[in-house]
Amino acid sequence: MSLELSSTDLVSSTWLKIEKHLEERLNNLRSQNDNETLTEQKTAAMRGRIAEIKALLHYGNPKD
């Protein structure tokens, strides 16, 4: 099943709030990932979270 958001969905206040939250979370995770003291396992887990957030944000830019 594929999720598609309409042009109306993409300008809704709900999506805009979700998008802002995801972008803030992504920035936070990227900062945490830059921590040189993380173990390889924690770095891999962090990268997985980052990838999932990017996938969710992609719904707002389906042409990318």
Side-chain angles (χ1 to χ4, degrees):
M1 180 167 73
S2 178
L3 174 68
E4 291 186 29
L5 299 178
S6 70
S7 58
T8 304
D9 293 331
L10 295 175
V11 295
S12 73
S13 61
T14 302
W15 171 252
L16 295 174
K17 287 178 185 179
I18 291 169
E19 186 176 46
K20 181 180 178 190
H21 172 77
L22 290 172
E23 288 172 353
E24 289 172 356
R25 182 75 177 130
L26 181 60
N27 288 332
N28 184 279
L29 287 170
R30 284 179 171 159
S31 293
Q32 290 178 36
N33 196 42
D34 289 342
N35 183 344
E36 295 178 11
T37 63
L38 290 178
T39 65
E40 187 175 324
Q41 185 178 14
K42 287 183 180 183
T43 299
M46 193 78 62
R47 288 181 180 164
R49 290 185 188 120
I50 289 169
E52 187 62 28
I53 289 175
K54 285 180 165 183
L56 291 169
L57 284 169
H58 179 73
Y59 290 116
N61 299 300
K63 295 179 184 176
D64 289 350

